[in-house]
Amino acid sequence: MSYEEFLEQIKRQIQERMGDGAAISVFQVRKNNGVLLDGLSILGQGDNLSPAIYLNGYYREYLKGISLEEIGNRILDCYRREKKTGHFDMDILKNGNRVKTRIICRLINYEKNRILLRDVPYRRFLNLAIVYYYLMEDWGMGEASILVRKNFLPLWGMDTETLHHTALANTARLLPWDFLSLSEMFQETACMEFREEEPKVPLYILTSQAKHYGAVWITDPHVRRLIGEKLGDDYYVLPSSIHECMILPAGLRPDPKELQDMVREINLTQVEPEEILADSVYRYERHTERLETAAE
């Protein structure tokens, strides 16, 4: 069965199982780094919002021999697990006073998102870009956010400078930064299988306390300065994903090219394409308080 036929079969199956009262649709979404995914939406009566259930991975499961019926079960389980009230007041996006306390920053790759950046306000940072999202209340940290687009700003009475500083303050409140050793990170995330042997080098992680979208904190000069003070050293920044950066003290004298090769390998083998931040490596110097590209 081709991928297009699979999409149609899944849509038909979910419609039959949900009944005529539900509206089922398949739509394409441009994710971070230009990744295109096909999402399934299930809207019940009175709903105007549905979690996006991406079907690309389910097709790979089908090719491995999982039946359409079982895939349908998994999709509906996902829908019921992720579904909240099903209703969102879309008028809130027209009201700057209501949204301004929930706008946050995220850091993405500039070159990989050139098409996306045509339509959204952003701020360059090295070879990266800071973009802005409205984080919906009570919907968690995942897909329950809306990318801020240029045409939102006149509705909110905001310019790009006001948007940026508003988002910085909200990010500090909603996604405060966290700096911890790699072993502490494993403990917090219960990755016990990786803790059989302590890391041979002192690696640290810069992320958010929620462990979502924390790489943006490397753009904060105050945070960079505090990390340098804690380490008592210059350091290298390895962007392991949009969620976190690895920090390596420069006193270990690593080869920046080898660090870059490591970042590329991790991106190729361990990071989802839409969560890759960059293949670059950066170096922070304490005496100048500058962060610059160390290997490209």
Side-chain angles (χ1 to χ4, degrees):
M1 183 185 298
S2 71
Y3 180 60
E4 289 72 21
E5 292 171 330
F6 171 81
L7 295 180
E8 188 58 37
Q9 288 284 345
I10 289 296
K11 179 182 176 182
R12 182 180 300 115
Q13 180 189 157
I14 298 300
Q15 184 71 72
E16 291 174 354
R17 294 170 70 166
M18 291 295 296
D20 294 337
I24 313 299
S25 61
V26 175
F27 55 96
Q28 194 169 72
V29 179
R30 179 178 292 277
K31 303 287 284 184
N32 186 43
N33 295 332
V35 175
L36 295 175
L37 297 178
D38 293 294
L40 180 79
S41 169
I42 304 173
L43 291 176
Q45 290 183 342
D47 292 346
N48 70 347
L49 194 66
S50 167
I53 301 171
Y54 296 110
L55 301 176
N56 309 69
Y58 287 113
Y59 183 62
R60 290 192 291 270
E61 291 188 10
Y62 168 76
L63 293 178
K64 293 177 181 177
I66 305 299
S67 69
L68 287 176
E69 182 179 3
E70 175 59 23
I71 290 173
N73 290 338
R74 296 182 185 183
I75 289 173
L76 290 176
D77 286 344
C78 178
Y79 166 73
R80 292 169 183 135
R81 184 173 60 252
E82 299 297 330
K83 183 180 184 294
K84 308 296 182 182
T85 64
H87 185 80
F88 174 67
D89 181 7
M90 299 301 292
D91 286 339
I92 194 173
L93 295 179
K94 302 176 183 178
N95 189 326
N97 289 328
R98 294 181 66 186
V99 302
K100 66 182 181 182
T101 61
R102 304 287 299 179
I103 300 169
I104 60 170
C105 301
R106 291 184 189 169
L107 191 62
I108 63 174
N109 187 281
Y110 177 78
E111 288 295 335
K112 292 178 182 292
N113 289 284
R114 279 186 173 271
I115 295 177
L116 175 73
L117 293 173
R118 294 173 187 169
D119 191 40
V120 304
Y122 68 92
R123 177 170 292 203
R124 281 293 301 268
F125 180 79
L126 300 173
N127 57 349
L128 310 171
I130 301 171
V131 294
Y132 311 95
Y133 281 77
Y134 169 68
L135 184 63
M136 294 160 57
E137 295 187 61
D138 302 323
W139 276 72
M141 306 305 300
E143 293 305 310
S145 57
I146 298 172
L147 178 64
V148 174
R149 299 189 178 273
K150 290 179 179 178
N151 59 358
F152 290 3
L153 299 190
L155 297 174
W156 298 345
M158 282 188 187
D159 56 24
T160 54
E161 195 69 16
T162 302
L163 173 70
H164 180 70
H165 290 289
T166 298
L168 287 178
N170 291 336
T171 303
R173 177 173 54 87
L174 298 171
L175 290 173
W177 67 288
D178 199 7
F179 181 71
L180 62 170
S181 69
L182 189 60
S183 58
E184 289 171 333
M185 180 75 163
F186 289 154
Q187 290 174 15
E188 287 194 9
T189 55
C191 295
M192 300 302 293
E193 65 272 22
F194 294 107
R195 297 185 60 242
E196 296 177 1
E197 188 176 316
E198 290 296 317
K200 292 183 173 61
V201 295
L203 268 176
Y204 299 86
I205 304 296
L206 174 63
T207 184
S208 68
Q209 291 182 13
K211 307 300 181 284
H212 290 279
Y213 308 110
V216 72
W217 280 110
I218 201 60
T219 68
D220 188 307
H222 179 65
V223 170
R224 296 197 299 265
R225 188 181 314 117
L226 289 177
I227 292 173
E229 291 175 1
K230 180 177 177 65
L231 299 179
D233 197 356
D234 297 348
Y235 54 86
Y236 288 93
V237 178
L238 287 61
S240 49
S241 79
I242 58 175
H243 300 297
E244 70 275 319
C245 294
M246 291 188 290
I247 306 294
L248 182 67
L252 298 172
R253 300 187 182 278
D255 181 344
K257 184 63 171 63
E258 291 182 1
L259 294 180
Q260 184 183 44
D261 290 342
M262 182 177 73
V263 170
R264 285 176 171 166
E265 178 67 19
I266 291 173
N267 284 340
L268 282 172
T269 61
Q270 300 182 38
V271 184
E272 293 294 332
E274 64 270 26
E275 296 191 345
I276 292 172
L277 183 54
D279 288 334
S280 304
V281 172
Y282 312 97
R283 180 182 171 115
Y284 178 78
E285 294 188 350
R286 294 179 67 201
H287 73 282
T288 62
E289 296 190 345
R290 294 184 64 181
L291 182 71
E292 296 181 332
T293 303
E296 190 63 71

